[in-house]
Protein backbone atom coordinates (compact mmCIF):
# COMPACT_ATOMS: atom_id res chain seq x y z
CA UNK A 1 0.00 0.00 0.00
CA UNK A 2 0.87 3.63 -0.20
CA UNK A 3 1.23 4.14 3.51
CA UNK A 4 1.35 2.41 6.86
CA UNK A 5 -1.96 0.88 7.80
CA UNK A 6 -3.17 -0.26 11.19
CA UNK A 7 -6.16 -2.25 12.29
CA UNK A 8 -8.49 -1.99 13.98
CA UNK A 9 -8.77 1.79 14.11
CA UNK A 10 -10.66 1.55 17.37
CA UNK A 11 -10.87 -1.25 19.90
CA UNK A 12 -12.97 -1.35 23.04
CA UNK A 13 -12.34 -4.25 25.35
CA UNK A 14 -13.05 -5.33 28.87
CA UNK A 15 -10.41 -5.45 31.53
CA UNK A 16 -8.68 -8.81 31.56
CA UNK A 17 -9.22 -9.60 27.89
CA UNK A 18 -6.42 -10.04 25.36
CA UNK A 19 -6.15 -7.79 22.31
CA UNK A 20 -4.14 -7.92 19.09
CA UNK A 21 -3.21 -4.83 17.13
CA UNK A 22 -1.96 -5.10 13.59
CA UNK A 23 0.44 -2.99 11.56
CA UNK A 24 1.15 -3.19 7.83
CA UNK A 25 4.25 -1.14 7.07
CA UNK A 26 5.17 0.41 3.77
CA UNK A 27 6.34 -2.27 1.38
CA UNK A 28 10.10 -2.66 1.47
CA UNK A 29 10.59 -0.86 4.77
CA UNK A 30 12.84 -3.01 6.91
CA UNK A 31 12.55 -1.07 10.17
CA UNK A 32 9.29 -1.02 12.11
CA UNK A 33 8.45 0.73 15.38
CA UNK A 34 5.59 0.66 17.85
CA UNK A 35 4.82 3.70 19.98
CA UNK A 36 2.09 4.43 22.49
CA UNK A 37 0.46 7.78 23.07
CA UNK A 38 -1.51 8.51 26.20
CA UNK A 39 -2.57 11.69 27.94
CA UNK A 40 -0.32 11.30 30.90
CA UNK A 41 2.79 9.92 29.20
CA UNK A 42 2.87 11.50 25.77
CA UNK A 43 4.47 9.52 22.94
CA UNK A 44 6.49 6.55 24.18
CA UNK A 45 8.61 4.08 22.28
CA UNK A 46 7.62 0.45 22.79
CA UNK A 47 9.60 -1.82 20.46
CA UNK A 48 11.74 -1.78 17.31
CA UNK A 49 11.98 -4.44 14.62
CA UNK A 50 14.69 -4.84 12.04
CA UNK A 51 13.36 -7.44 9.68
CA UNK A 52 11.72 -10.07 11.86
CA UNK A 53 14.02 -9.50 14.81
CA UNK A 54 13.36 -7.18 17.72
CA UNK A 55 16.72 -5.93 18.95
CA UNK A 56 15.10 -3.34 21.20
CA UNK A 57 12.12 -4.20 23.36
CA UNK A 58 13.07 -1.78 26.09
CA UNK A 59 9.85 0.23 25.91
CA UNK A 60 7.42 -2.61 26.51
CA UNK A 61 5.82 -1.68 29.86
CA UNK A 62 5.29 -5.20 31.19
CA UNK A 63 5.42 -8.86 30.25
CA UNK A 64 1.77 -8.61 29.28
CA UNK A 65 2.97 -6.87 26.13
CA UNK A 66 4.53 -8.77 23.25
CA UNK A 67 5.03 -8.23 19.56
CA UNK A 68 6.09 -10.16 16.54
CA UNK A 69 6.81 -9.49 12.92
CA UNK A 70 6.59 -12.02 10.15
CA UNK A 71 7.93 -12.06 6.62
CA UNK A 72 9.70 -8.80 7.30
CA UNK A 73 6.34 -7.13 6.90
CA UNK A 74 3.23 -7.32 9.08
CA UNK A 75 3.61 -6.84 12.81
CA UNK A 76 1.22 -7.70 15.61
CA UNK A 77 1.28 -6.15 19.07
CA UNK A 78 -0.46 -8.31 21.66
CA UNK A 79 -1.59 -7.14 25.06
CA UNK A 80 -2.66 -9.87 27.44
CA UNK A 81 -4.97 -9.40 30.40
CA UNK A 82 -5.59 -5.77 29.51
CA UNK A 83 -5.74 -3.16 32.25
CA UNK A 84 -7.35 0.26 32.22
CA UNK A 85 -3.95 1.94 32.13
CA UNK A 86 -3.34 0.25 28.76
CA UNK A 87 -5.91 2.61 27.23
CA UNK A 88 -4.04 4.70 24.68
CA UNK A 89 -3.46 5.21 20.99
CA UNK A 90 -0.97 2.67 19.65
CA UNK A 91 1.01 3.96 16.71
CA UNK A 92 3.10 1.99 14.29
CA UNK A 93 5.82 3.51 12.11
CA UNK A 94 8.20 2.20 9.50
CA UNK A 95 11.32 3.43 7.80
CA UNK A 96 13.27 2.22 4.82
CA UNK A 97 16.20 0.83 6.73
CA UNK A 98 18.00 0.85 10.03
CA UNK A 99 19.35 4.30 10.74
CA UNK A 100 16.98 6.00 8.29
CA UNK A 101 15.65 8.86 10.26
CA UNK A 102 12.30 9.76 8.72
CA UNK A 103 9.56 7.54 10.01
CA UNK A 104 6.19 7.05 8.36
CA UNK A 105 3.36 6.62 10.81
CA UNK A 106 0.11 4.77 10.55
CA UNK A 107 -3.19 6.29 11.75
CA UNK A 108 -3.02 4.39 15.02
CA UNK A 109 -5.33 2.12 16.97
CA UNK A 110 -7.27 3.72 19.79
CA UNK A 111 -7.58 1.15 22.57
CA UNK A 112 -10.10 1.65 25.33
CA UNK A 113 -10.12 -0.77 28.24
CA UNK A 114 -13.30 -0.64 30.28
CA UNK B 1 11.34 10.36 30.14
CA UNK B 2 10.84 12.83 27.34
CA UNK B 3 13.98 14.06 25.63
CA UNK B 4 12.32 17.15 24.23
CA UNK B 5 10.38 19.75 26.08
CA UNK B 6 8.28 22.10 24.03
CA UNK B 7 6.75 25.44 24.58
CA UNK B 8 4.26 26.79 24.45
CA UNK B 9 1.99 23.89 25.28
CA UNK B 10 -0.77 25.62 23.34
CA UNK B 11 -0.81 28.45 20.83
CA UNK B 12 -3.83 30.20 19.38
CA UNK B 13 -3.45 32.60 16.45
CA UNK B 14 -5.37 34.13 13.56
CA UNK B 15 -4.99 32.98 9.98
CA UNK B 16 -2.14 34.80 8.28
CA UNK B 17 -0.10 35.21 11.44
CA UNK B 18 3.15 33.40 12.10
CA UNK B 19 3.44 30.62 14.67
CA UNK B 20 6.63 29.82 16.54
CA UNK B 21 7.14 26.71 18.62
CA UNK B 22 10.24 25.85 20.63
CA UNK B 23 11.82 22.60 21.66
CA UNK B 24 14.61 21.90 24.10
CA UNK B 25 16.44 18.63 24.50
CA UNK B 26 18.91 17.19 26.96
CA UNK B 27 21.52 15.00 25.31
CA UNK B 28 23.73 15.40 22.27
CA UNK B 29 21.99 14.66 19.01
CA UNK B 30 22.91 14.20 15.38
CA UNK B 31 19.56 15.37 14.09
CA UNK B 32 16.20 16.73 15.21
CA UNK B 33 12.88 16.25 13.50
CA UNK B 34 9.50 17.92 13.63
CA UNK B 35 6.23 16.04 13.16
CA UNK B 36 2.62 17.15 12.90
CA UNK B 37 -0.35 15.25 14.27
CA UNK B 38 -3.94 15.91 13.33
CA UNK B 39 -6.79 14.87 15.62
CA UNK B 40 -4.66 12.67 17.86
CA UNK B 41 -3.89 10.11 15.18
CA UNK B 42 -0.96 9.43 12.83
CA UNK B 43 2.07 11.68 12.74
CA UNK B 44 3.40 13.28 9.58
CA UNK B 45 7.08 14.06 9.18
CA UNK B 46 7.64 17.75 8.44
CA UNK B 47 11.33 18.43 8.41
CA UNK B 48 14.67 17.15 9.66
CA UNK B 49 17.63 19.29 10.62
CA UNK B 50 21.08 17.84 11.20
CA UNK B 51 23.40 18.86 13.98
CA UNK B 52 25.74 20.63 11.57
CA UNK B 53 22.90 22.79 10.22
CA UNK B 54 21.66 25.95 11.86
CA UNK B 55 18.60 26.67 9.76
CA UNK B 56 16.46 24.86 7.24
CA UNK B 57 13.45 25.84 5.16
CA UNK B 58 10.65 23.85 3.62
CA UNK B 59 7.82 25.82 2.07
CA UNK B 60 6.26 27.88 4.88
CA UNK B 61 8.30 26.09 7.50
CA UNK B 62 11.54 27.35 8.95
CA UNK B 63 13.46 25.34 11.51
CA UNK B 64 16.46 26.49 13.50
CA UNK B 65 18.81 24.47 15.65
CA UNK B 66 21.14 25.75 18.34
CA UNK B 67 23.21 22.84 19.58
CA UNK B 68 24.99 25.01 22.16
CA UNK B 69 21.64 25.73 23.82
CA UNK B 70 20.19 22.33 22.94
CA UNK B 71 17.14 23.97 21.44
CA UNK B 72 15.22 24.17 18.20
CA UNK B 73 12.38 26.27 16.90
CA UNK B 74 9.74 25.70 14.26
CA UNK B 75 8.27 28.73 12.54
CA UNK B 76 5.17 28.45 10.38
CA UNK B 77 4.66 31.57 8.31
CA UNK B 78 1.36 32.88 6.98
CA UNK B 79 -0.58 30.27 8.91
CA UNK B 80 -3.77 28.69 7.62
CA UNK B 81 -6.68 27.05 9.39
CA UNK B 82 -5.42 23.74 7.98
CA UNK B 83 -2.24 24.14 10.05
CA UNK B 84 -4.31 23.48 13.18
CA UNK B 85 -2.67 20.41 14.71
CA UNK B 86 -0.24 19.26 17.38
CA UNK B 87 3.44 19.66 16.61
CA UNK B 88 6.17 17.50 18.11
CA UNK B 89 9.91 17.63 18.03
CA UNK B 90 11.70 14.29 18.06
CA UNK B 91 15.29 13.24 18.53
CA UNK B 92 17.05 9.90 18.20
CA UNK B 93 17.16 8.19 21.58
CA UNK B 94 20.58 8.47 23.16
CA UNK B 95 23.10 5.85 22.20
CA UNK B 96 21.07 4.33 19.41
CA UNK B 97 22.26 3.92 15.87
CA UNK B 98 18.78 3.31 14.54
CA UNK B 99 15.74 5.52 14.32
CA UNK B 100 14.15 5.02 17.74
CA UNK B 101 12.74 8.45 18.52
CA UNK B 102 12.07 10.33 21.70
CA UNK B 103 9.29 12.91 21.40
CA UNK B 104 8.56 16.13 23.18
CA UNK B 105 5.20 16.77 24.81
CA UNK B 106 4.04 18.78 21.81
CA UNK B 107 2.50 22.15 21.08
CA UNK B 108 -1.18 22.36 20.23
CA UNK B 109 -1.61 25.00 17.53
CA UNK B 110 -5.03 26.44 16.74
CA UNK B 111 -5.35 28.74 13.75
CA UNK B 112 -8.62 30.67 13.63
CA UNK B 113 -10.05 31.54 10.21
Amino acid sequence: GAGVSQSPSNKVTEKGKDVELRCDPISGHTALYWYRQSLGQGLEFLIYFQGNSAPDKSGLPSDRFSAERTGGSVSTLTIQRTQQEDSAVYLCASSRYRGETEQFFGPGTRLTVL
Amino acid sequence: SQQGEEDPQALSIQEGENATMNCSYKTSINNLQWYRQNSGRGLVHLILIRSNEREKHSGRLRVTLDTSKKSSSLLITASRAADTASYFCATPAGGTSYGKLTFGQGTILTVHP
Side-chain angles (χ1 to χ4, degrees), chain A residues 40-82:
Chain A
Q41 300 298 321
L43 269 155
E44 303 173 287
F45 166 82
L46 296 178
I47 187 170
Y48 153 67
F49 285 92
Q50 181 60 40
N52 292 336
S53 301
D56 190 342
K57 308 178 183 179
S58 62
L60 295 178
S62 76
D63 59 8
R64 296 186 295 105
F65 287 71
S66 63
E68 65 174 11
R69 189 179 184 194
T70 55
S73 180
V74 172
S75 177
T76 303
L77 177 69
T78 301
I79 309 173
Q80 295 178 310
R81 304 180 303 281
T82 52

Side-chain angles (χ1 to χ4, degrees), chain A residues 3-112:
Chain A
V4 178
S5 61
Q6 292 186 246
S7 61
S9 56
N10 288 284
K11 176 72 176 178
V12 180
T13 190
E14 294 179 347
K15 178 180 172 181
K17 301 283 189 183
D18 298 350
V19 295
E20 285 189 353
L21 312 180
R22 176 186 168 107
C23 172
D24 282 89
I26 294 173
S27 178
H29 280 198
T30 62
L32 185 147
Y33 305 82
W34 283 97
Y35 295 88
R36 179 171 74 171
Q37 186 175 29
S38 56
L39 281 176
Q41 300 298 321
L43 269 155
E44 303 173 287
F45 166 82
L46 296 178
I47 187 170
Y48 153 67
F49 285 92
Q50 181 60 40
N52 292 336
S53 301
D56 190 342
K57 308 178 183 179
S58 62
L60 295 178
S62 76
D63 59 8
R64 296 186 295 105
F65 287 71
S66 63
E68 65 174 11
R69 189 179 184 194
T70 55
S73 180
V74 172
S75 177
T76 303
L77 177 69
T78 301
I79 309 173
Q80 295 178 310
R81 304 180 303 281
T82 52
Q83 303 294 312
Q84 288 184 331
E85 61 263 28
D86 299 334
S87 296
V89 176
Y90 290 81
L91 294 162
C92 174
S94 69
S95 61
R96 285 184 298 174
Y97 51 84
R98 174 189 170 118
E100 174 67 19
T101 48
E102 178 180 353
Q103 295 183 16
F104 296 83
F105 281 80
T109 294
R110 184 177 298 279
L111 175 65
T112 303

Side-chain angles (χ1 to χ4, degrees), chain B residues 9-56:
Chain B
Q9 291 187 332
L11 182 60
S12 182
I13 59 174
Q14 294 296 127
E15 219 168 20
E17 294 180 341
N18 296 341
T20 300
M21 290 159 268
N22 303 295
C23 167
S24 61
Y25 56 92
K26 298 174 183 174
T27 62
S28 295
I29 59 171
N30 54 29
N31 68 77
L32 184 144
Q33 304 176 51
W34 286 89
Y35 285 82
R36 183 186 72 216
Q37 185 179 40
N38 292 87
S39 304
R41 303 309 287 259
L43 282 79
V44 175
H45 182 266
L46 294 176
I47 195 167
L48 178 150
I49 186 166
R50 302 195 184 278
S51 59
N52 61 354
E53 298 176 307
R54 291 296 169 261
E55 188 172 308
K56 197 164 184 179

